[in-house]
C-alpha cells in the first residue's frame, strides 16, 4: 500500500494517542470526519493498522521477570515449524515469538512472576512443545526501552 502524507499523519497520531476520537483525529490531520474514517478503514483493511489495545504493565500484574528464550527445533520443515508455532501460541506467558535466522530457530519473550514461575513455564510449556531440542534462557535485569511507536519513513508519503 502506498501511503501519502495524510496517511502518515493519521498513523503518527494514532501511535501517540490510540484512544483519540475520529472527530479529533480528523481535525488533527485536516480531514472531514467521514474522509478520515474512510482512510482509517483502508489502513485497517490493508493491515497497516493491526489493532487497538491497552498497554498493561507486566510488573503491576505480578509478572516482574522477563525471560528471553532461544529455541532450537529438530528441523525447519514446514510441519515442524507449524507444530511448534501452534503450541507456542497457546502458552499465555509468551509475549512475543519470532522465527529467526542464525543459530536458533525462535526467540521468545516470556513474562514470569519470579524464577519459580519461570521454572514452571519451562517445565510445563517449553519442554513440552513439539520438536524442541534446545532451550537457552536469559533473564532481563532491567528494561531500557520498550517502544510502542516507530518512526514512519517520510519517503513512504
Amino acid at each position: 500500500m502506498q501511503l501519502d502524507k495524510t496517511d502518515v499523519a493519521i498513523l503518527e497520531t494514532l501511535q501517540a494517542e490510540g484512544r483519540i476520537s475520529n472527530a479529533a483525529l480528523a481535525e488533527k490531520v485536516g480531514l472531514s470526519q467521514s474522509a478520515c474514517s474512510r482512510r482509517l478503514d483502508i489502513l485497517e483493511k490493508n493491515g497497516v493498522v493491526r489493532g487497538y489495545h491497552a498497554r498493561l504493565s507486566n510488573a503491576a500484574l505480578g509478572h516482574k521477570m522477563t525471560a528471553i528464550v532461544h529455541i532450537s527445533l529438530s528441523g525447519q520443515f514446514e510441519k515442524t515449524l507449524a507444530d511448534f508455532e501452534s503450541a507456542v501460541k497457546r502458552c499465555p506467558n509468551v509475549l512475543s515469538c519470532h522465527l529467526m535466522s542464525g543459530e536458533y530457530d525462535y526467540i521468545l519473550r516470556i513474562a514470569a512472576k519470579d524464577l519459580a514461575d519461570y521454572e514452571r513455564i519451562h517445565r510445563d510449556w517449553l519442554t513440552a512443545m513439539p520438536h524442541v531440542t534446545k532451550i537457552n534462557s536469559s533473564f532481563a535485569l532491567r528494561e531500557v526501552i520498550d517502544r510502542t511507536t516507530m518512526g514512519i519513513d517520510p519517503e513512504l508519503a
Side-chain angles (χ1 to χ4, degrees), residues 106-120:
Y106 289 91
I107 293 181
L108 285 59
R109 186 167 49 96
I110 295 178
K113 294 176 184 173
D114 52 28
L115 198 52
D117 188 40
Y118 179 74
E119 181 183 7
R120 175 194 61 80

Side-chain angles (χ1 to χ4, degrees), residues 25-90:
L25 178 60
E27 185 176 327
K28 272 195 170 205
V29 299
L31 292 174
S32 70
Q33 289 184 36
S34 60
C36 184
S37 181
R38 277 193 304 277
R39 280 190 181 246
L40 189 50
D41 284 345
I42 291 168
L43 291 167
E44 290 170 352
K45 285 181 178 123
N46 283 294
V48 178
V49 175
R50 293 177 33 199
Y52 303 88
H53 64 277
R55 186 166 168 81
L56 307 179
S57 165
N58 290 328
L61 295 172
H63 292 88
K64 299 182 185 318
M65 175 181 280
T66 300
I68 305 301
V69 180
H70 298 81
I71 302 278
S72 291
L73 302 181
S74 58
Q76 284 207 347
F77 305 104
E78 189 173 335
K79 181 173 179 0
T80 304
L81 299 177
D83 289 349
F84 175 81
E85 289 175 11
S86 178
V88 80
K89 288 174 184 176
R90 291 190 297 270

Side-chain angles (χ1 to χ4, degrees), residues 97-113:
C97 174
H98 301 272
L99 175 63
M100 303 299 294
S101 65
E103 183 178 354
Y104 293 96
D105 297 308
Y106 289 91
I107 293 181
L108 285 59
R109 186 167 49 96
I110 295 178
K113 294 176 184 173

Side-chain angles (χ1 to χ4, degrees), residues 3 34 48 55 64 75 83 112 129 133 135 137 139 150 156:
L3 303 177
S34 60
V48 178
R55 186 166 168 81
K64 299 182 185 318
D83 289 349
M129 289 184 187
T133 60
I135 300 171
S137 305
F139 302 97
M150 60 182 241
L156 290 175

